[in-house]
Amino acid sequence: MFPHLTVAANIAIVPKMLGWDKRRISDRVDELLELVSLDPADYRDRYPKELSGGQQQRVGVARALAADPPVLLMDEPFGAVDPITRQRLQDELIRIQEELQTTIVIVTHDFDEAVKLGDWIVVFSDGAHIVQYDTPERILAEPANEFVENFIGSGAGLKQLTLRRVSDVELADAVLAHPGEIASEVHARAVAAKHNHVVIVDDRDRPIQWLSRRQLSRLESIGAERDNHLPVVGSRATLNDALDTMLVSSAGAALVTGKRDRFLGVTDVETVMDAITSARASAAASAAAPTGTNSGEIAIIEETATS
C-alpha cells in the first residue's frame, strides 16, 4: 500500500486513473470495504500504518478489485502473515470469489493452500514444465507421477479433509436478538427455546455478541458492543479450520456466517468431528480401491475457477 495515502485513496487509484467521477469512486470504495469485511465508516480515512497486516491484505484485495477486472492475479498473497490471519484471509478470499464469480489465478508453494482454494490446480516442475493440471480431488487421488506424489507429501488422505466445507454439515439454529432489546425478554425467549446462549446480531444480521443466559440475567438491555474474539467461521471454511477456531476459542462451537458475514447458524465440535471421521473413512476407502491411470485430458477453466 502507498503509506502516504488513506485506505480510500489507495483503493481509488485505478478507478481514478480510468477517469471515474468522484461519486462513483466513493460508492465503489465503500462497496469494496464492506465486501472485505472492513466498515467504511471506520477504515476509509485510516492510513496503512494504522492497520494490522491482515487488514492491509484486505485493502490490497479491495484495491485489486476496484475496477472489476475479469481476472485477478495473486502471487503468494498470504505469505507475509501469521498462520491464523492466513487462514482467515483464505476464507475471506473464498467468500469474495463465491460472491463476485471472478476468475482468480494464485501462485503458491503451499500445496495445502492450493487444495483449499483451488477449483483447478496446475503443478509445475523445475523449468516451469506442467506435470499435472486437474481438480484437487483428482490430484490427491491420482497423482500423475512421482514428482507430484512428492510434492503432495505424506498424508494425502488427510488432505482430502480440506475439501470438506462447513456448508457440508447441518447447522443448528440459535435464538437471535438485536441491540436495544430488553434483556429479560431475550432471556425468556432463550429459556422457552431451551437454548443456553443467544446470538446478538446487528442491523445487517452480522453476529456481534454471543451471550449466555447468565450474562443476560445481569443486563437490563442488549448493548451494541462488538466482541472481537467471537469464534466465527465462514460457511466455505474447511472443517479443519472450523475445528481449529473452536478449539482455540474453547467455546466448543462456532458461529457460521455466509455472504457479507450474515449469520447462518451454529456448528459444534461433535458435528465437525463426525464429518471429519466420515471424510477420513471415505478417503481411506478411496486409497485402498484400485485406480486407473491418469487420462491426461485437458480441462477447461470455468469462469469461476480459482487455480
Side-chain angles (χ1 to χ4, degrees), residues 2 32 42 48 71 75 103 115-116 124 133 143 145 170 208 217-218 253 261 276 290 293 302:
F2 295 106
L32 289 170
D42 290 336
V71 178
D75 187 1
T103 297
V115 171
K116 176 179 178 177
F124 292 92
Y133 169 50
N145 55 28
E170 186 174 354
I208 58 174
S217 66
R218 300 169 182 164
D261 296 328
I276 287 177
T293 58
E302 298 286 344

Side-chain angles (χ1 to χ4, degrees), residues 8 12 25 29-31 85 87 170 182 195 199 210-211 306:
I25 291 176
V29 167
D30 289 352
E31 176 188 1
T85 302
Q87 172 191 318
E170 186 174 354
I182 298 174
H195 284 208
V199 179
W210 198 8
L211 302 179
T306 305

Side-chain angles (χ1 to χ4, degrees), residues 278-293:
S278 175
R280 183 180 288 119
S282 298
S286 298
T291 59
T293 58

Side-chain angles (χ1 to χ4, degrees), residues 50-113:
E50 301 175 280
L51 306 178
S52 68
Q55 290 168 344
Q56 289 187 28
Q57 292 280 34
R58 285 182 168 88
V59 174
V61 171
R63 181 172 62 181
L65 292 169
D68 196 20
V71 178
L72 185 63
L73 306 180
M74 307 182 77
D75 187 1
E76 296 282 1
F78 310 127
V81 295
D82 63 87
I84 294 177
T85 302
R86 184 185 183 106
Q87 172 191 318
R88 291 174 178 170
L89 289 171
Q90 289 170 345
D91 294 341
E92 285 282 335
L93 183 64
I94 291 171
R95 180 185 61 79
I96 290 169
Q97 197 276 340
E98 186 178 41
E99 183 167 339
L100 296 182
Q101 298 291 291
T102 298
T103 297
I104 305 175
V105 180
I106 297 176
V107 178
T108 179
H109 290 83
D110 185 337
F111 187 75
D112 290 336
E113 180 170 74

Side-chain angles (χ1 to χ4, degrees), residues 219-242:
L219 300 174
E220 293 185 3
S221 63
I222 305 299
E225 300 81 12
R226 181 179 298 274
D227 182 353
N228 293 321
H229 301 289
L230 284 178
V232 176
V233 295
S235 61
R236 297 299 296 163
T238 68
L239 296 183
N240 278 353
D241 289 345

